[in-house]
Amino acid sequence: MAFLADALSRVKPSATIAVSQKARDLKAKGRDVIGLGAGEPDFDTPDNIKKAAIDAINRGETKYTPVSGIPELRKAIAAKFKRENNLDYTWEQTIVGTGGKQILFNAFMATLNAGDEVIIPTPYWVSYPEMVALCGGTPVFIATTQANNFKLQPADLEAAITPKTKWFMFNSPSNPSGAAYSHAELKALTDVLVKHPHVWILTDDMYEHLTYGEFKFATPVEVEPSLYDRTLTMNGVSKAYAMTGWRIGYAAGPLQLIKAMDMIQGQQTSGATSIAQWAAVEALNGPQDFIPRNKKIFEGRRDLVVSMLNQAKGISCPVPEGAFYVYPSCAGLIGKTAPTGKVIETDEDFVSELLESEGVAVVHGSAFGLGPNFRISYATSEELLEEACRRIQRFCAACK
């Protein structure tokens, strides 16, 4: 009898975490490495939020919290959904988790049975299919194309739905592509979902506040209110508030599902860290003026990276509407020979040779289910981004 669970054979390690760790390991050995794999802002958590955490410590807010979160935070979450998304939830319909990952995992754990299908457009965040597999479900992938700006087409969604479909997993703006769906594009998808009442929608809105130009964010149940009773809307403070390490994600949805997730979390971790929850209260209720400032900086970085990558031989990089990633194609390098003499046969070969030759760490697109592409996070300084892009240009020019 095997000691480890069979479920582990269906799951792969996180490629984004692996790339970040490899970059750290090489730096520790003295290599000059620029890591563009991490999905976190380089900004510091705003001072008012840090002060709220210190004040909470000084008040003695250091005990266990209710499993689903302190009432103050759950009320702030309900108010946020009403204020920013025009969604009406009672605070009892909300739940706080230790990061967005726990919210997603608990939703799948609470609902998936063997054979249940979860539709996931590609490219996808690396953890979606692994969570589905761990919870006993079956991921069903729908490929998007660069020609359609990596956006799912309604006819493809319609074709993928079967009697076994339990969830449609949706992410806008997207990690890894940065693609964001307009109100009209969302309406075309929700029109399909309205016709299939057995399909639930799990929407990951973590990058909601990071959209650029004139783009206006919308979330599925805001666009189609009739989906309210079968939608779980997930968000968090990690990206917009530069609070990745605080580990606070949250969601709102039908009370029956929230109670089921609460039961799972009660046997798993119980409530999220009390101090981080009080910091999140301040994040949601406090001043929001730094968000547009940070967003403008991200937009400038995006434009810089897209421009420089499109000057690299064999690279094609579309302009994303949101998040802080670009997802360029390296198709023009496939079949070329890298400076080491190795023939580049896949996007994974491309990123390995780029790291070896130029010390730039990016994530291969096949890890996100769609290649030959690679993901760059531009959540770092313009100086480092410029240097990284110069190295990528040099590497591509050296491939013959």
Side-chain angles (χ1 to χ4, degrees), residues 104-138:
L104 297 170
F105 188 91
N106 287 354
F108 288 139
M109 181 61 70
T111 57
L112 291 178
N113 294 308
D116 287 345
E117 295 176 350
V118 178
I119 293 174
I120 305 174
T122 67
Y124 47 72
W125 181 46
V126 293
S127 293
Y128 293 152
E130 311 308 326
M131 289 179 180
V132 171
L134 272 173
C135 294
T138 302

Side-chain angles (χ1 to χ4, degrees), residues 45-53 55 279 282-283 285-290:
T45 302
D47 288 341
N48 63 303
I49 298 173
K50 291 191 285 188
K51 182 177 183 300
D55 289 346
E282 174 62 20
N285 289 344
Q288 308 289 301
D289 56 328
F290 61 91

